[in-house]
Amino acid sequence: MSAAGRTVVVVPCSGIGKTYGSVSREAAYVITEDRRPGTAELVALSLLVLGDEHARAAVRAHPAVTIDGCKLACAAKMVQESGGTVARGFAVLDTYRRHRELRPEGIAELNEGGLQLAHALADEVAAVIDEIVSTQDASDRA
């Protein structure tokens, strides 16, 4: 948890066997391990699907940022079905449209373009996490 006690949960796509799913998960790891380790907590979509009470409690207690790999938006849907609130949802394809030069390939192991796309997405998500935490802090001071 952050010094201010603020946590935002990050729920990435589980798109196993899909390149955009791999980009989603890689971005979530970059966010929670490198960009915002004190503020962002990873919640695996599979745990929400299985009804894991710890995962469900996390999405109910904290704002969630979802990262979906396709139009099905499974991460966003499962956060809502688990009683959580999606503070902001991201789609890998939207980030790819802004960075067409970063063509992702691979599944088990992303190519360089896929890794760079995941880092670009992680930067976008980290900025939103900062906004969420800042808004929470401002409302506490009001």
Side-chain angles (χ1 to χ4, degrees):
M1 217 183 263
S2 69
R6 299 292 182 209
T7 300
V8 175
V9 295
V10 177
V11 183
C13 169
S14 283
I16 303 300
K18 308 283 188 197
T19 300
Y20 289 142
S22 296
V23 171
S24 172
R25 289 188 305 281
E26 181 66 26
Y29 298 141
V30 170
I31 295 158
T32 58
E33 295 172 8
D34 300 328
R35 301 290 198 277
R36 300 296 179 272
T39 306
E41 176 186 330
L42 180 68
V43 173
L45 178 60
S46 59
L47 294 177
L48 293 177
V49 170
L50 292 172
D52 180 85
E53 193 46 47
H54 183 284
R56 292 172 64 94
V59 299
R60 286 192 302 264
H62 305 288
V65 172
T66 58
I67 307 172
D68 281 297
C70 73
K71 292 179 182 181
L72 293 176
C74 297
K77 288 177 185 172
M78 280 309 304
V79 165
Q80 293 169 335
E81 288 180 22
S82 299
T85 301
V86 177
R88 179 76 182 272
F90 287 85
V92 174
L93 193 55
D94 291 341
T95 302
Y96 175 60
R97 286 183 182 122
R98 288 188 293 279
H99 299 280
R100 290 212 184 260
E101 74 282 5
L102 304 178
R103 186 170 184 85
E105 293 179 5
I107 296 168
E109 193 170 315
L110 289 169
N111 68 346
E112 188 60 31
L115 292 172
Q116 288 178 6
L117 182 62
H119 282 263
L121 178 54
D123 290 341
E124 292 175 14
V125 175
V128 166
I129 289 172
D130 292 346
E131 290 173 17
I132 294 168
V133 170
S134 175
T135 300
Q136 288 176 332
D137 289 342
S139 68
D140 284 351
R141 288 190 296 270

